[in-house]
Amino acid sequence: MKKSNWIKKIYLDKGAENEPLSRRILDKLPGIPVELLEDIEKIKLELRLNPDPVAESKKIILLTKQKSFLRPCPCSPGAISCGYWTIDLDLNCPLDCSYCILQSYFDHQPMTISINRESLKSELDTFFENKKNRILRVGTGELGDSLALDNLTENSIFLAGLFRGKENFFLELKTKTDNIEQLLKIKALPNVIIAWSLNTERIIETEEKGTANLENRLRAALQVINHGYRVAFHFDPIIYYQGWEQEYQEIIKKLFKLIPLEKIAWISLGTLRFPAAFVKILRRRFPNNEIYSQEFIKSWEGKYRYPRPLRTRIYLEMKRMIAEFKAENKIYLCMESALVWRDFLAENKRGKLTSAFPFPWLS
Amino acid sequence: MKLRIIKKEEINLQDKRFLFTLKKPSEKLIRTIKEVGLVEPIQVIKRGGHFTVVSGWKRLAAALVSGLGKLPVLELPESLSDRQVLKMVFLTVCSAGQLSLAEKSLLIRRFSELGLKPAKIITEIMPWLELPPDRPTFELLLRLSKNEEILEEIHTRDWKLGTAEIFLNFSDEERKEILNLISGISHSQQKEIIEWLYILKKRLKKDVAAILAEPEISCLLNLPDKRSLKVADQLISILKKKVSPLVEQIGEQVKKEIKKMNLPPQVKVNFDSTLERPDLKVSFEVSSKEELQKIISGLNLSLTEESWELIFTLLRGKKSEEI
């Protein structure tokens, strides 16, 4: 995603044309048709008429203003929350992972870049003030990849500036790319964590179209570490298939061979899950995909997941592999039930389990 | 519009450019027409020297079965374009009631054959049909309409879009095989069989014929009443076990252990079949103290059995690795 040759057209929303960020982005994209937008319905219709609206939505950029950016991560109702907060500056993602639920989450939403990000400052000031006695994590990788468009937006530099001196608040930039150029232009901050989603080479190859390969992700992680940042890793979604243990073991070995343990802020684990509405899109867009032919149950909140005994087995196995490198105390589970958490923690934790955060090693 | 009486030979029955309904005339309609003739005229339009039926296919079929040689028709002005006529019929039919998925797909095909652009069909016709107005759905319905051999089944069993979409993912050969397997059973059974076969085909990397040739399934399909609802349920149960082996096997073992304990008949033991929750719900209804005493002592007695321990172990997923 370092090059911008995937962009077919840019729409400029009313009122966005004179914003400095719009100008900067347009300057970086010479030769790409630009149209002033009267009504978002025009783009939605254009996408609806395309044989693959999801793929098409990733080729169209909309520069627009958003009302607000900061919100608590909704997690999964009934799951143990990790207390995450999200900043949604970009909506939609140019990467095309087969398992990405954004495919069904957005209703014909183009790649949307918020050009009024300056107003995030006041939102964050209130947030920092209201939550000043807490340790919290805030990230931008929820409705898009944090760094996929960073060469255009330089959001990483902008956001890092907002978190400077706010030691209790961690900014996490989560990516599957190796777009770290902007991050290397600024001084690393202790509370800015650069995170990579990791998966086996087989899964990256078959399911994560447009992303950096494993080696490049790990190399990029090492580069930001050398620059002074700390990093995090997300094994999410962990996908169950014949031979998964060996292949995940291989990535874990590669990871710890390259990345110093003390530079890792946290590691999350989450097994494949998806809402029912997503299945239709998946079957249309990836008819030969095999990862959804495994055993799934409809869980408490209506999402499909592997059966609980299998999920627990996967988490415990991953924990065992990570423990070989003495990093098991950095793990948390993403969107999991209390029961799975308890089995995962075994006898280590007593009492009522309501939140996975703050992680003990951060306080 | 002109009301006329025409001979049946004047109608070109092969011209189906406006036909998209699949309902057959009922016995009652045929009987009525035999008794009193065709009271409500059929709508027709002149095309190429013959009359083409615009609407009233069901009545026409009943009239022909009843042996009527002359038919009352309402002739539409020849100047109307085919598209205008089809739109008129479609709006009339839509306002009168729901179309099945098969009929909707046929209607979309008719508009397409008459040269209406996909964008127009998607934005102007599909919302009327309460279909998602997007290109993938349009293309899916167009594909569906061309599989004429299955349209009637889809219509009769009132398939939903999701079932049809999965069905079209099978090869021609497999579709024939599945159709042969599921005709005559309920829609919900058809849906489950199609869904499970789709998953198994991918997981086992086998075609449908190979899956159905597995001994436990093939013996079922050789039964004389293979098209019965009961056999369909048995087939669904076998397929489900193959699709969800872990959950199904744990569930079966739990049920077996519950049965083994021979609990008082008033006691019901339920568990979450998805295994997300490991709790057991034990309930009973009593109408006297003596009855309550009897049940409690029955339950008490059961506590000496190993089954309870095994059930909780199974529900917590502790034995899943053995499965």
Side-chain angles (χ1 to χ4, degrees):
Chain A
M1 291 296 130
K2 283 177 187 164
K3 288 179 189 163
S4 308
N5 53 5
W6 48 273
I7 305 168
K8 259 172 72 175
K9 194 170 185 178
I10 303 163
Y11 281 100
L12 205 51
D13 207 357
K14 251 196 280 181
E17 61 271 36
N18 297 319
E19 291 287 329
L21 183 56
S22 298
R23 305 307 326 165
R24 282 215 299 277
I25 291 172
L26 291 178
D27 286 347
K28 288 183 182 180
L29 298 169
I32 294 171
V34 181
E35 193 178 316
L36 273 174
L37 187 69
E38 289 293 318
D39 185 357
I40 181 80
E41 288 308 315
K42 182 183 183 293
I43 308 182
K44 292 193 175 193
L45 176 63
E46 201 177 302
L47 293 175
R48 283 212 320 263
L49 296 179
N50 193 284
D52 187 351
V54 175
E56 190 66 9
S57 73
K58 295 171 182 291
K59 297 174 189 162
I60 297 171
I61 282 191
L62 170 65
L63 302 178
T64 188
K65 291 181 179 177
Q66 304 284 338
K67 284 187 184 139
S68 62
F69 302 101
L70 187 64
R71 64 183 179 112
C73 172
C75 192
S76 264
I80 297 295
S81 160
C82 70
Y84 204 71
W85 284 72
T86 65
I87 294 172
D88 303 321
L89 286 176
D90 302 335
L91 311 177
N92 207 344
C93 177
L95 312 176
D96 199 5
C97 300
S98 68
Y99 53 72
C100 179
I101 62 158
L102 294 183
Q103 295 172 94
S104 65
Y105 181 83
F106 289 127
D107 169 31
H108 301 97
Q109 179 84 31
M111 284 287 326
T112 305
I113 297 176
S114 307
I115 46 82
N116 61 327
R117 65 186 181 192
E118 293 298 325
S119 62
L120 172 64
K121 269 184 194 166
S122 60
E123 248 185 281
L124 271 179
D125 283 344
T126 314
F127 175 74
F128 291 147
E129 181 55 32
N130 291 345
K131 315 271 180 195
K132 63 186 168 196
N133 297 323
R134 296 180 61 185
I135 298 172
L136 287 171
R137 295 183 309 150
V138 184
T140 60
E142 201 68 14
L143 300 181
D145 185 283
S146 298
L147 300 180
L149 299 176
D150 206 35
N151 291 357
L152 289 179
T153 62
E154 300 177 12
N155 276 340
S156 60
I157 297 178
F158 170 77
L159 289 167
L162 300 181
F163 279 74
R164 182 170 293 122
K166 310 288 178 196
E167 284 83 7
N168 282 2
F169 299 94
F170 291 87
L171 169 68
E172 184 183 39
L173 300 173
K174 206 188 293 180
T175 189
K176 287 193 190 95
T177 73
D178 52 0
N179 279 1
I180 52 167
E181 286 159 42
Q182 307 306 320
L183 288 165
L184 300 181
K185 288 180 186 167
I186 55 169
K187 195 171 171 245
L189 297 171
N191 60 334
V192 173
I193 311 292
I194 320 301
W196 274 268
S197 296
L198 297 182
N199 227 312
T200 64
E201 286 179 80
R202 178 201 301 256
I203 296 297
I204 292 175
E205 175 103 351
T206 55
E207 313 294 336
E208 299 184 350
K209 199 173 140 195
T211 65
N213 65 27
L214 180 65
E215 204 184 317
N216 288 348
R217 288 185 211 180
L218 292 178
R219 239 188 244 152
L222 191 59
Q223 267 181 284
V224 296
I225 287 171
N226 291 339
H227 192 73
Y229 290 101
R230 280 196 294 166
V231 293
F233 296 99
H234 300 279
F235 289 96
D236 196 350
I238 301 169
I239 293 169
Y240 176 75
Y241 56 90
Q242 200 163 20
W244 72 275
E245 293 107 317
Q246 291 83 346
E247 295 190 14
Y248 280 93
Q249 176 112 52
E250 274 171 37
I251 342 168
I252 290 168
K253 276 184 187 162
K254 278 185 186 164
L255 169 68
F256 289 104
K257 195 176 166 194
L258 205 64
I259 307 295
L261 181 61
E262 67 280 9
K263 295 292 178 189
I264 300 175
W266 50 78
I267 297 169
S268 81
L269 305 179
T271 50
L272 183 64
R273 57 206 175 272
F274 49 95
F278 171 72
V279 180
K280 185 177 84 178
I281 292 177
L282 177 96
R283 282 179 180 157
R284 279 184 186 171
R285 298 200 65 225
F286 305 98
N288 299 321
N289 187 296
E290 285 172 14
I291 61 176
Y292 296 91
S293 59
Q294 293 300 334
E295 182 171 359
F296 291 98
I297 52 105
K298 202 169 190 176
S299 62
W300 71 91
E301 86 288 45
K303 278 184 191 163
Y304 285 95
R305 298 166 181 265
Y306 299 131
R308 181 179 51 82
L310 179 59
R311 300 203 306 278
T312 306
R313 203 195 300 167
I314 291 171
Y315 291 134
L316 290 174
E317 190 57 21
M318 289 293 285
K319 182 178 164 185
R320 186 195 61 73
M321 294 179 204
I322 292 168
E324 283 178 24
F325 301 91
K326 307 202 182 324
E328 72 276 22
N329 60 352
K330 292 181 187 276
I331 306 173
Y332 71 96
L333 304 182
C334 188
M335 297 186 185
E336 264 305 348
S337 67
L339 186 64
V340 173
W341 262 99
R342 290 219 164 84
D343 283 343
F344 179 76
L345 293 170
E347 283 80 40
N348 296 345
K349 191 148 178 150
R350 287 170 186 278
K352 204 176 171 199
L353 193 57
T354 53
S355 173
F357 199 79
F359 306 130
W361 63 94
L362 288 176
S363 48
Chain B
M1 262 193 276
K2 280 186 285 183
L3 180 63
R4 302 179 49 172
I5 304 289
I6 61 168
K7 286 187 205 153
K8 67 175 186 187
E9 292 78 18
E10 289 180 78
I11 297 175
N12 179 3
L13 291 171
Q14 300 312 309
D15 189 347
K16 294 178 179 171
R17 72 183 85 181
F18 304 120
L19 173 65
F20 58 87
T21 53
L22 292 166
K23 291 177 189 80
K24 297 269 187 292
S26 64
E27 281 302 314
K28 206 172 155 188
L29 179 67
I30 296 170
R31 253 199 342 261
T32 309
I33 287 175
K34 268 186 189 161
E35 289 275 322
V36 297
L38 196 56
V39 179
E40 197 186 337
I42 294 159
Q43 282 193 358
V44 295
I45 195 164
K46 251 258 166 87
R47 289 291 186 255
H50 276 89
F51 288 106
T52 293
V53 179
V54 170
S55 74
W57 285 94
K58 213 164 60 177
R59 275 169 284 140
L60 175 65
L64 294 178
V65 172
S66 308
L68 296 191
K70 287 184 177 173
L71 308 162
V73 297
L74 267 179
E75 186 187 353
L76 268 61
E78 211 176 335
S79 57
L80 286 174
S81 73
D82 280 357
R83 249 193 254 171
Q84 282 173 313
V85 173
L86 185 60
K87 198 162 182 180
M88 194 184 79
V89 185
F90 138 66
L91 290 173
T92 316
V93 172
C94 272
S95 59
Q98 277 284 329
L99 292 177
S100 71
L101 183 71
E103 291 173 323
K104 289 175 184 178
S105 77
L106 263 180
L107 177 65
I108 281 169
R109 181 173 152 196
R110 298 290 180 239
F111 273 116
S112 190
E113 283 167 348
L114 293 179
L116 193 64
K117 294 262 184 301
K120 287 263 179 200
I121 298 176
I122 293 164
T123 54
E124 291 174 14
I125 309 296
M126 286 170 65
W128 270 95
L129 298 173
E130 293 171 3
L131 290 167
D134 57 40
R135 183 86 190 214
T137 308
F138 164 77
E139 281 175 3
L140 170 77
L141 289 166
L142 212 53
R143 272 179 66 205
L144 187 67
S145 72
K146 288 171 184 165
N147 284 272
E148 285 177 9
E149 73 283 3
I150 60 167
L151 283 182
E152 196 156 323
E153 190 69 32
I154 292 177
H155 171 75
T156 318
R157 301 287 163 199
D158 198 19
W159 281 22
K160 303 288 172 273
L161 200 59
T163 312
E165 188 160 14
I166 300 175
F167 187 72
L168 289 177
N169 275 314
F170 290 100
S171 69
D172 289 350
E173 206 53 44
E174 287 173 320
R175 286 210 287 263
K176 272 184 210 151
E177 192 120 21
I178 295 172
L179 209 56
N180 185 36
L181 182 71
I182 63 173
S183 60
I185 60 175
S186 75
H187 171 239
S188 63
Q189 289 174 319
Q190 291 181 330
K191 184 176 170 249
E192 280 192 273
I193 290 173
I194 291 170
E195 177 98 37
W196 300 145
L197 284 174
Y198 178 75
I199 293 173
L200 286 175
K201 177 184 150 97
K202 285 191 155 195
R203 191 188 302 168
L204 306 173
K205 295 186 177 63
K206 284 181 177 178
D207 61 18
V208 169
I211 297 168
L212 298 180
E214 286 181 19
E216 52 191 323
I217 299 180
S218 66
C219 71
L220 202 61
L221 300 181
N222 287 331
L223 292 173
D225 59 344
K226 65 176 181 181
R227 293 240 169 93
S228 72
L229 300 181
K230 200 176 138 203
V231 173
D233 274 338
Q234 282 174 294
L235 174 62
I236 288 167
S237 161
I238 294 171
L239 293 174
K240 207 170 165 190
K241 264 182 223 162
K242 287 180 180 290
V243 168
S244 306
L246 183 64
V247 165
E248 289 291 316
Q249 282 184 46
I250 291 178
E252 254 182 34
Q253 283 188 38
V254 170
K255 281 181 202 158
K256 206 171 109 190
E257 289 304 317
I258 293 171
K259 205 172 167 189
K260 216 164 100 183
M261 287 191 291
N262 216 2
L263 297 169
Q266 300 93 326
V267 175
K268 290 192 178 79
V269 184
N270 291 313
F271 63 95
D272 172 13
S273 60
T274 70
L275 305 179
E276 277 306 295
R277 296 177 56 83
D279 323 322
L280 273 184
K281 189 177 165 191
V282 184
S283 61
F284 49 82
E285 281 177 22
V286 287
S287 50
S288 68
K289 192 181 159 191
E290 289 71 34
E291 209 182 344
L292 178 64
Q293 221 157 21
K294 217 168 148 189
I295 289 169
I296 291 174
S297 61
L299 281 169
N300 246 334
L301 199 66
S302 75
L303 287 173
T304 55
E305 310 241 4
E306 282 173 1
S307 291
W308 284 113
E309 204 56 56
L310 182 56
I311 288 169
F312 286 116
T313 309
L314 284 164
L315 289 175
R316 285 197 70 89
K318 300 292 182 199
K319 293 235 166 209
S320 69
E321 274 174 66
E322 294 163 22
I323 292 169

